[in-house]
Amino acid sequence: MNEHIPLAATEQQVAAVYDALHDARSLTSLAAQLYAEAMGDAYPHEVDASSSCDWPLLGTLVSRLRLGPGQRLIDLGCGTGGVGLWLSRALSVHLTGIDISPSAIALATRRTNMFVPPGQAEFHVATMEATDLPDARADGIICVDAFGFTPDRIAALRETHRILRPGGRAVLTSGGRHTHPAAPSWPERAAAAGMELEAEEERPHEPAMWRRLYQLWIEHEADLRGELGEQQAESMLTEARTRLPTLANRRSAIVTLRRPR
């Protein structure tokens, strides 16, 4: 989900916005039901993510990360942890999740024993630009629908380079516009952070998913207001009405970066 946050917002203000979102979502299954309806049989129910994560994306993450048992995965902007925990179990890897929202981290921590044994996953409050993790900590990194909301994307990529071991891969989703020639290309972004672009694959079905989801939010306005409260419902409805007209020009991709050996 994309929140409307002022560009000048402080770190604490951003965290508070996401805390309110996650707290409201934790009290009802309505949001998850609408995501499931929008995605159909591509929706991975167990993951329960508020993002574009579907079964095809999970498959691409597995094939692009190429992790072996016992290696370490970092999930940047992990939210309530579902994507990283699913991968941790599927690949038998250790997981560290990072998110700016203390509420999200608390919810992710409570979900851990649903997926993996004690000690296989941990979650910490931090930002993508400053994870507070050791150098070369990660064998692989994921970032699902969070990279576009970091205030300094090159700083976030440089931090990704720092915490990724040489030869390791970072796989992230990326949203943009087909007609936006001023935006830096992924080879340019990767080079600015000391990384190499290994693959950039479009997800042509994703804008249609967001269209279905936004239409469902609008159709269920009364339910959203009743179950999530006025503030969260209004945020979702504003997002839906603002973004629906832009989806025809949306370009969605999954990008694989590699730290050179």
Side-chain angles (χ1 to χ4, degrees), residues 10-226:
T10 67
E11 189 175 306
Q12 291 76 16
Q13 288 171 324
V14 173
V17 168
Y18 286 110
D19 281 347
L21 179 151
H22 292 298
D23 289 342
R25 290 277 185 91
S26 70
L27 301 176
T28 175
S29 62
L30 177 60
Q33 292 170 10
L34 297 181
Y35 271 92
E37 187 174 344
M39 290 189 187
D41 63 5
Y43 182 70
H45 288 267
E46 193 178 19
V47 170
D48 192 26
S50 299
S51 67
S52 64
C53 180
D54 53 16
W55 282 118
L57 179 61
L58 287 172
T60 301
L61 291 171
V62 170
S63 65
R64 285 290 171 188
L65 287 166
R66 304 177 195 178
L67 293 176
Q71 292 190 303
R72 181 164 295 277
L73 173 67
I74 308 295
D75 185 356
L76 297 178
C78 66
T80 57
V83 178
L85 286 168
W86 188 93
L87 289 168
S88 179
R89 183 183 62 193
L91 302 176
S92 296
V93 296
H94 296 282
L95 171 69
T96 299
I98 297 294
D99 200 274
I100 196 173
S101 164
S103 291
I105 292 301
L107 290 165
T109 300
R110 289 204 290 269
R111 298 178 70 189
T112 300
N113 63 3
M114 299 167 57
F115 288 86
V116 296
Q120 190 170 324
E122 59 186 14
F123 295 92
H124 302 289
V125 176
T127 67
M128 286 187 282
E129 300 96 335
T131 64
D132 200 30
L133 295 173
D135 292 353
R137 174 67 164 168
D139 297 291
I141 294 173
I142 60 169
C143 183
V144 177
D145 291 3
F147 175 75
F149 298 100
T150 185
D152 189 335
R153 297 177 187 181
I154 295 300
L157 288 176
R158 287 175 176 154
E159 178 72 350
T160 298
H161 173 277
R162 184 187 69 78
I163 64 175
L164 190 62
R165 67 164 175 81
R169 295 175 175 86
V171 187
L172 54 92
T173 58
S174 171
R177 288 178 284 174
H178 287 288
T179 55
H180 193 5
S185 69
W186 271 107
E188 292 172 326
R189 288 173 173 171
M195 306 274 275
E196 297 173 346
L197 177 66
E198 188 169 84
E200 182 179 2
E201 305 160 79
E202 290 208 33
R203 284 171 39 88
H205 66 281
E206 190 201 297
M209 183 282 292
W210 286 115
R211 181 175 290 106
R212 291 191 297 271
L213 181 64
Y214 289 152
Q215 289 168 343
L216 286 167
W217 287 358
I218 292 170
E219 291 170 13
H220 289 79
E221 176 176 351
D223 296 327
L224 290 171
R225 293 188 186 280

